[in-house]
């Protein structure tokens, strides 16, 4: 399975957020990280791929245009995890995961309940199942959002800053889960700000700057001091630790990367 | 792993038990609404004893007068109270969800004010839907104006992109416009028409007749299955438009059809009884406190809470001032106001 994203343009009023952006083809088994400075258009791109906002250009899954598909069919194929879930509802966590299954298609209650519970268990948040969503912490809500995104067993998984509110253990848990989901034959694309995490977990990094793809490739090819200086305006060193992993060290005084 | 499976099953059982508890609460609300209906039937200026009322209802031996009072005066009024409360609260619940605003309801969106304007045009200017018997003229006008207001709202919303904030703002503007035009019509009205109009715009069950009850009942019966069918979609929308859409919900279509459905429902209700405030607001909020926001139980609970509140208000309107029948819209507003303030204060704290 592969995903093609071609010539995506998005305008918000007068502002051209994305300008005919084309991503390298993404394949099953790969984790692609979208990185870049604030307001580069990463989240907008992710939402456009998920068909959540009006855009020009084409997103195709194995040649099938996502835009032409009925919403329910698309929901079966694509999972989207937002940066955060809105507060103010009095739903409990398990209900929201069940809603992610039953809003788009008819499913017997016991089957949906069990499937939602199994996903929460797999993510290590079974104990939160009966808690009101509003009572959960930011990190816990993010894990519930991930459960909502993967409960339909999608082929393409899109995640918007999935680790932004997670503690260290949960970050590792989420990222290894993403690796596992990819290994099972899915295409995974995530917006990440933390380049150290990206270096460790991504197969490929796409650096986005001012609505365009600035560079893409394997982490060791993309994460270079020159490119980071160009995009983020920081002085950076790329080192290898004793285990051979890439480390991104920022020396510059103005740390714009975070 | 065996332990994990057991723990998972335990959580699922607890979730299902919670579902049964909520279903039982909905059942209790239904019983309470029924009890309120009986209470409503037993109160009134005629001072009919409970026994006589029940005998008249069940076809037992009672005087002709009691028979008439129960069947032709009290029962249609009491049924109308239940139905209108149910319709407005269901409409309010769905409006709050699709417009993502806890203050949305037929009253705040200008449906009620537009209905009142329609009624005023019929009463004062004598303009109404041609070809209808005169008794139906006022209600028909109110219905047409209320539905027209909703159509206008949808149209304006569509031009500006149809987001919930835009619809709310247009609704509020519509409310004020209709209210201003209503004042204008009142200004030129004769004293006789004015009295009729004032009574109508405060909401009243006094003029209820069986055909009107049947009409609201039919519209409600037609709307409810569609509401329940959309319940998981509406639940998903509580997580925001993006989430609902990524779950496979066509949010624009859901918003459009829901507003149309509950718009017609609330128009049917207010066209029969006039402007009734706060039931559409209070019903859903009380229901939310009782059963949460899974719309599979939240919608029925809202509907029944609205029916219960309205039925109790109907009883109150006859008993608060002995011998005087207060306009029911006044009573619901007075009950609703404290709830409204409590909500604002709760929102502030969050």
């Amino acid at each position: 399975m592969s995903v093609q994203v071609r010539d995506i343009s998005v305008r918000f009023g007068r502002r051209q957020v994305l300008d005919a952006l084309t991503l390298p083809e993404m394949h099953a088994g790969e984790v692609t990280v979208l990185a870049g400075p604030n307001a580069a258009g990463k989240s907008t791109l992710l939402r456009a791929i998920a068909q959540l906002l009006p855009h020009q250009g084409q997103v195709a899954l194995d040649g099938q245009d996502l835009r032409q598909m009925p919403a329910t069919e698309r929901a079966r194929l694509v999972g989207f995890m937002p940066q955060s879930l809105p507060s103010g509802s009095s739903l409990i966590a398990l209900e929201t995961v069940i809603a992610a299954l039953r809003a788009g298609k008819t499913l017997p209650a016991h089957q949906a309940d069990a499937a939602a519970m199994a996903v929460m268990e797999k993510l290590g948040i079974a104990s939160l199942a009966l808690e009101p969503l509003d009572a959960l912490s930011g990190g816990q809500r993010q894990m519930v959002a991930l459960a909502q995104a993967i409960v339909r067993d999608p082929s393409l998984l899109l995640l918007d800053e999935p680790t932004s509110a997670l503690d260290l253990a949960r970050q590792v848990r989420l990222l290894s889960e993403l690796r596992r989901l990819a290994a099972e034959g899915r295409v995974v694309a995530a917006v990440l700000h933390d380049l150290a995490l990206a270096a460790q977990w991504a197969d490929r990094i796409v650096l986005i700057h001012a609505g365009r793809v600035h560079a893409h490739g394997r982490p060791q090819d993309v994460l270079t001091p020159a490119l980071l200086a160009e995009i983020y305006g920081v002085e950076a060193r790329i080192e290898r630790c004793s285990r051979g992993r890439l480390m991104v060290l920022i020396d510059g005084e103005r740390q714009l990367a975070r | 792993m065996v332990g994990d499976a057991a723990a998972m099953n335990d959580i699922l059982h607890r979730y299902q038990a919670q579902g049964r508890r909520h279903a039982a609460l909905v059942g209790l609300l239904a019983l309470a609404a029924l009890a309120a209906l009986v209470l409503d039937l037993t109160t009134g200026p005629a001072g009919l004893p409970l026994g006589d009322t029940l005998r008249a209802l069940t076809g037992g031996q009672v005087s002709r007068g009691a028979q008439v009072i129960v069947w032709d005066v009290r029962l249609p009024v009491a049924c109308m109270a239940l139905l209108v409360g149910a319709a407005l609260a269901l409409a309010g619940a769905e409006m709050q969800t699709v417009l993502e605003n806890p203050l949305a309801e037929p009253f705040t969106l200008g449906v009620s004010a537009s209905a009142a304007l329609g009624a005023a045009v019929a009463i004062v200017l004598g303009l109404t839907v041609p070809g209808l018997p005169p008794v139906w003229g006022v209600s028909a006008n109110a219905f047409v104006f209320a539905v027209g207001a909703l159509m206008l709202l949808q149209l304006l919303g569509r031009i500006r992109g149809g987001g919930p904030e835009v619809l709310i703002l247009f609704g509020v503007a519509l409310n004020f416009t209709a209210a201003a035009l209503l004042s204008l019509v009142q200004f030129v009205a004769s004293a006789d028409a004015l009295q009729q109009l004032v009574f109508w715009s405060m909401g009243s069950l006094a003029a209820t007749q069986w055909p009107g009850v049947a009409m609201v009942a039919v519209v409600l019966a037609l709307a409810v299955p569609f509401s329940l069918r959309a319940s998981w979609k509406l639940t998903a929308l509580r997580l925001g438009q993006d989430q609902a859409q990524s779950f496979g919900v066509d949010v624009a279509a859901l918003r459009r059809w829901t507003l149309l459905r509950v718009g017609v429902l609330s128009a049917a209700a207010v066209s029969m009884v006039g402007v009734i405030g706060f039931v559409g607001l209070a019903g859903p909020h009380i229901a939310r406190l009782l059963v949460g926001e899974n719309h599979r139980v939240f919608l029925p609970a809202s509907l029944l809470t609205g029916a219960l509140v309205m039925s109790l208000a109907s009883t109150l309107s006859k008993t608060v001032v002995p011998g005087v029948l207060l306009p029911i819209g006044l009573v619901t507003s007075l009950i609703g106001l404290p709830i409204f303030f409590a909500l604002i204060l709760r929102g502030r704290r969050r």
Side-chain angles (χ1 to χ4, degrees):
Chain A
M1 211 211 33
S2 66
V3 175
Q4 299 88 30
V5 178
R6 281 192 215 103
D7 293 326
I8 303 290
S9 293
V10 176
R11 289 186 83 88
F12 290 153
R14 277 198 210 150
R15 204 164 85 82
Q16 184 89 38
V17 182
L18 295 176
D19 188 8
L21 184 147
T22 296
L23 284 182
E25 189 167 301
M26 296 183 280
H27 299 280
E30 284 179 357
V31 175
T32 302
V33 162
L34 308 174
N38 290 336
K42 307 177 297 292
S43 296
T44 304
L45 174 63
L46 215 58
R47 292 181 65 220
I49 297 174
Q51 308 295 313
L52 296 179
L53 52 76
H55 61 274
Q56 290 179 322
Q58 198 203 25
V59 179
L61 220 140
D62 276 344
Q64 271 184 294
D65 192 339
L66 278 188
R67 201 201 309 240
Q68 310 298 335
M69 268 180 212
T72 46
E73 173 67 6
R74 196 159 58 222
R76 203 176 57 75
L77 293 171
V78 184
F80 174 78
M81 175 182 166
Q83 240 177 80
S84 60
L85 291 175
S87 56
S89 83
S90 39
L91 293 168
I92 63 171
L94 180 60
E95 264 168 357
T96 69
V97 183
I98 295 171
L101 265 176
R102 296 184 73 180
K105 67 170 178 180
T106 342
L107 207 68
H110 64 93
Q111 202 177 324
D113 296 358
M117 196 60 231
V119 167
M120 294 189 81
E121 163 72 21
K122 192 166 78 172
L123 294 178
I125 50 169
S127 61
L128 306 178
L130 300 183
E131 297 290 322
L133 194 62
D134 260 21
L136 302 184
S137 75
Q140 291 171 327
R141 291 156 71 91
Q142 225 163 8
M143 293 304 283
V144 175
L146 177 64
Q148 292 169 8
I150 64 174
V151 71
R152 289 182 308 277
D153 196 15
S155 313
L156 168 61
L157 189 56
L158 304 162
L159 310 101
D160 195 357
E161 296 188 37
T163 58
S164 61
L166 299 184
D167 62 35
L168 286 176
R170 282 252 162 85
Q171 285 185 10
V172 172
R173 176 149 206 167
L174 181 133
L175 289 165
S176 23
E177 186 60 33
L178 292 190
R179 281 248 60 107
R180 206 184 55 71
L181 288 165
E184 285 173 2
R186 294 182 184 81
V187 176
V188 177
V191 169
L192 276 188
H193 270 304
D194 190 328
L195 294 177
L197 283 181
Q200 189 178 344
W201 297 92
D203 295 299
R204 177 180 12 216
I205 296 180
V206 179
L207 280 180
I208 296 174
H209 185 41
R212 292 167 164 277
V213 172
H214 199 86
H216 66 85
R218 294 177 307 165
Q220 58 266 44
D221 301 331
V222 173
L223 298 178
T224 62
L227 266 177
L228 295 185
E230 219 174 294
I231 288 190
Y232 292 99
V234 294
E235 247 178 69
R237 266 181 297 149
I238 312 295
E239 307 276 354
R240 282 197 185 268
C241 74
S242 54
R243 291 191 180 175
R245 284 198 195 124
L246 283 187
M247 310 283 291
V248 182
L249 304 172
I250 308 297
D251 295 324
E253 279 184 323
R254 294 182 59 217
Q255 298 193 3
L256 295 178
R258 297 296 290 207
Chain B
M1 284 317 277
V2 176
D4 284 356
M8 252 169 69
N9 270 333
D10 176 52
I11 294 171
L12 269 180
H13 283 314
R14 276 193 290 152
Y15 174 65
Q16 279 148 6
Q18 190 193 59
R20 283 193 294 276
R21 256 198 322 279
H22 287 161
L25 262 173
V26 169
L28 269 179
L29 278 172
L31 284 179
L34 211 63
L37 175 82
V38 174
L39 182 68
D40 194 4
L41 284 174
T42 57
T43 49
L48 216 55
L50 178 61
D52 281 8
T53 310
L54 293 178
R55 265 194 297 281
L57 276 178
T58 50
Q61 208 47 287
V62 279
S63 69
R64 176 85 190 112
Q67 193 84 15
V68 169
I69 288 173
V70 171
W71 279 95
D72 295 343
V73 181
R74 289 188 186 173
L75 195 58
V77 168
C79 288
M80 188 61 113
L82 275 188
L83 288 169
V84 165
L88 289 178
L90 178 65
E94 293 193 55
M95 282 178 174
Q96 283 166 22
T97 298
V98 293
L99 295 177
E100 300 172 37
N101 191 308
L103 297 183
E105 65 138 329
F107 185 79
T108 43
L109 289 182
V111 178
S112 305
S114 303
L117 178 63
V121 168
I123 294 169
V124 178
L125 307 177
L127 298 173
T128 177
V129 184
L132 268 179
V135 260
W136 284 90
V138 178
S139 289
N141 247 34
F143 184 78
V144 168
F145 269 66
V147 171
L150 258 150
M151 296 292 176
L152 190 66
L153 193 69
Q154 297 250 28
L155 189 72
L156 289 171
R158 265 202 138 160
I159 293 170
R160 284 289 285 108
E165 311 85 3
V166 175
L167 283 171
I168 292 267
L169 286 176
F170 278 135
V172 171
L174 206 62
N175 194 7
F176 283 119
T177 310
L181 289 174
L182 182 64
S183 302
L184 189 68
V185 177
Q186 283 174 342
F187 189 68
V188 300
S190 66
D192 199 28
L194 195 59
Q195 198 177 4
Q196 206 185 338
L197 191 57
V198 165
F199 200 64
W200 204 91
S201 62
M202 283 182 191
S204 167
L205 294 166
T208 301
Q209 287 175 334
W210 279 117
V213 176
M215 195 253 205
V216 180
V218 167
V219 176
L220 186 65
L222 287 176
V224 167
F226 287 101
S227 298
L228 291 179
R229 235 178 89 96
S231 61
W232 276 111
K233 290 187 168 67
L234 292 166
T235 304
L237 194 53
R238 291 299 291 124
L239 297 169
Q241 184 168 330
D242 268 13
Q243 278 310 80
Q245 215 157 305
S246 77
F247 296 170
V249 178
D250 183 343
V251 173
L254 177 68
R255 203 168 264 151
R256 202 160 51 239
W257 287 113
T258 304
L259 280 179
L260 183 71
R261 182 175 67 240
V262 299
V264 169
L265 183 60
S266 47
V270 292
S271 68
M272 290 297 156
V273 297
V275 177
I276 309 272
F278 294 110
V279 173
L281 189 68
H285 280 290
I286 297 170
R288 202 171 277 128
L289 292 175
L290 290 175
V291 299
E293 271 186 309
N294 184 335
H295 282 55
R296 235 162 22 107
V297 283
F298 169 58
L299 293 181
S302 295
L303 180 149
L304 289 167
T305 309
L308 174 63
V309 167
M310 190 72 177
S311 191
L312 291 175
S314 167
T315 305
L316 277 178
S317 72
K318 290 182 281 188
T319 50
V320 169
V321 185
V324 176
L325 181 63
L326 290 175
I328 190 158
L330 221 61
V331 178
T332 57
S333 291
L334 288 176
I335 298 177
L337 217 58
I339 296 175
F340 190 73
F341 280 127
L343 280 171
I344 296 172
L345 293 176
R346 214 170 73 122
R348 277 257 175 108
R349 266 210 303 277
R350 189 172 276 152

